[in-house]
Amino acid sequence: MILSALFLTIMFAGSFACSDDHCKDPSLPGELIAVNFLPNEKQLGRLCPKVLSFLECERDFLECPGRTLEELATSSDRREASGAKGMLGSLSLVRDLCDEDSSFNHDYLASVDCFRDVFEEVTRTCRDDVLAPVENFFDEIYPMSDELHAETLAEMSCLRDAFELACIVDNLGDSCGTVAQRTAVNALERMKALLKAEICADVKDVADLKSRFLDTLELDEKRRSNFQEIFDLVKRRR
């Protein structure tokens, strides 16, 4: 769940002139897949040096044209800025995850066994559970529409993806406890640049869409707050 997001950062690398061929570790993807991107303490000790080395190498690659990641993150080129922000978030997350003295490391290790037990089922359940509420919401907005415009389809996709993510985090909290939920939110917070690039990127007013949709769910205050926290991670600055 956490480490899988890191490889999304590399998709932005193609716009740079330098080469990152030397960064590739052919064995690393297979090792991460083998542990479902949720390594336990022993596996983390083995994987951390490899992942950190890979990310540091990619950082050097992204900075090769002569600008730091911090400078690239402020670029007017949205794709370039997203890639830089994603890499900064990835480095921050992995460094904390691999730091045995960090609170994030402690929270993750306290939660990972439960994550492994329930994550696939939670993901499958949420994928199914989000469909009806989203469809009902848009049926109310466009009751007589036979054909949906591209903007509406983008809004539907935005709500489905954001609601599914919020559902997963919420259900992880129910199944694994508050520490697990905090760990998941913390990880997503570090990766929010990638989330914004991938989810709701084509929706102009995510805040209004989110608010109207959450009103239809009739959630209690705590659950609404939990869902809103995740929706806010994908909200694009206007």
Side-chain angles (χ1 to χ4, degrees):
M1 179 182 65
I2 294 174
L3 293 178
S4 61
L6 304 182
F7 286 90
L8 292 175
T9 61
I10 310 308
M11 67 186 292
F12 296 99
S15 61
F16 296 89
C18 306
S19 171
D20 65 341
D21 291 343
H22 63 292
C23 297
K24 303 296 188 289
D25 180 346
S27 67
L28 185 55
E31 290 184 66
L32 290 170
I33 291 170
V35 298
N36 292 320
F37 295 94
L38 289 168
N40 59 27
E41 185 171 10
K42 182 178 179 180
Q43 293 160 343
L44 201 60
R46 185 181 75 252
L47 288 167
C48 273
K50 293 185 177 185
V51 175
L52 281 169
S53 176
F54 170 70
L55 290 176
E56 291 289 357
C57 184
E58 287 291 343
R59 175 179 186 140
D60 291 343
F61 161 61
L62 292 173
E63 292 182 337
C64 177
R67 287 184 291 168
T68 66
L69 281 183
E70 289 76 12
E71 291 171 329
L72 291 168
T74 64
S75 171
S76 58
D77 184 322
R78 203 166 98 184
R79 185 171 181 266
E80 186 176 69
S82 293
K85 289 175 183 176
M87 181 59 73
L88 287 169
S90 298
L91 283 166
S92 170
L93 185 150
V94 174
R95 284 169 180 160
D96 260 7
L97 182 63
C98 295
D99 179 357
E100 295 179 356
D101 295 323
S102 75
S103 59
F104 183 65
N105 172 277
H106 297 163
D107 285 352
Y108 171 80
L109 292 178
S111 308
V112 67
D113 287 341
C114 186
F115 283 157
R116 285 178 153 191
D117 288 341
V118 306
F119 188 72
E120 286 189 14
E121 181 181 352
V122 164
T123 301
R124 185 167 51 250
T125 298
C126 285
R127 188 176 296 123
D128 294 336
D129 287 352
V130 303
L131 295 177
V134 172
E135 289 177 358
N136 291 339
F137 174 70
F138 280 94
D139 284 344
E140 290 182 9
I141 298 176
Y142 307 105
M144 304 299 291
S145 180
D146 293 327
E147 184 176 347
L148 298 177
H149 298 293
E151 184 176 343
T152 304
L153 292 173
E155 290 179 345
M156 291 181 70
S157 177
C158 165
L159 277 187
R160 275 198 307 267
D161 291 345
F163 188 28
E164 182 178 335
L165 192 60
C167 173
I168 290 171
V169 172
D170 191 59
N171 283 9
L172 285 175
D174 288 343
S175 299
C176 301
T178 56
V179 172
Q181 186 169 14
R182 181 174 69 225
T183 303
V185 172
N186 193 334
L188 292 174
E189 174 69 29
R190 309 288 185 96
M191 306 305 295
K192 63 183 178 182
L194 292 178
L195 294 177
K196 289 178 181 179
E198 293 297 310
I199 302 177
C200 302
D202 298 321
V203 177
K204 294 179 180 178
D205 194 347
V206 178
D208 177 65
L209 183 67
K210 170 203 69 180
S211 180
R212 287 187 291 141
F213 176 64
L214 290 178
D215 285 343
T216 68
L217 298 181
E218 299 181 352
L219 301 169
D220 61 61
E221 186 174 345
K222 182 177 183 300
R223 224 171 191 84
R224 182 185 175 104
S225 176
N226 290 342
F227 276 56
Q228 184 164 315
E229 183 177 25
I230 303 303
F231 272 74
D232 285 345
L233 292 178
V234 303
K235 184 171 64 178
R236 193 182 68 184
R237 289 184 179 179
R238 299 180 68 184

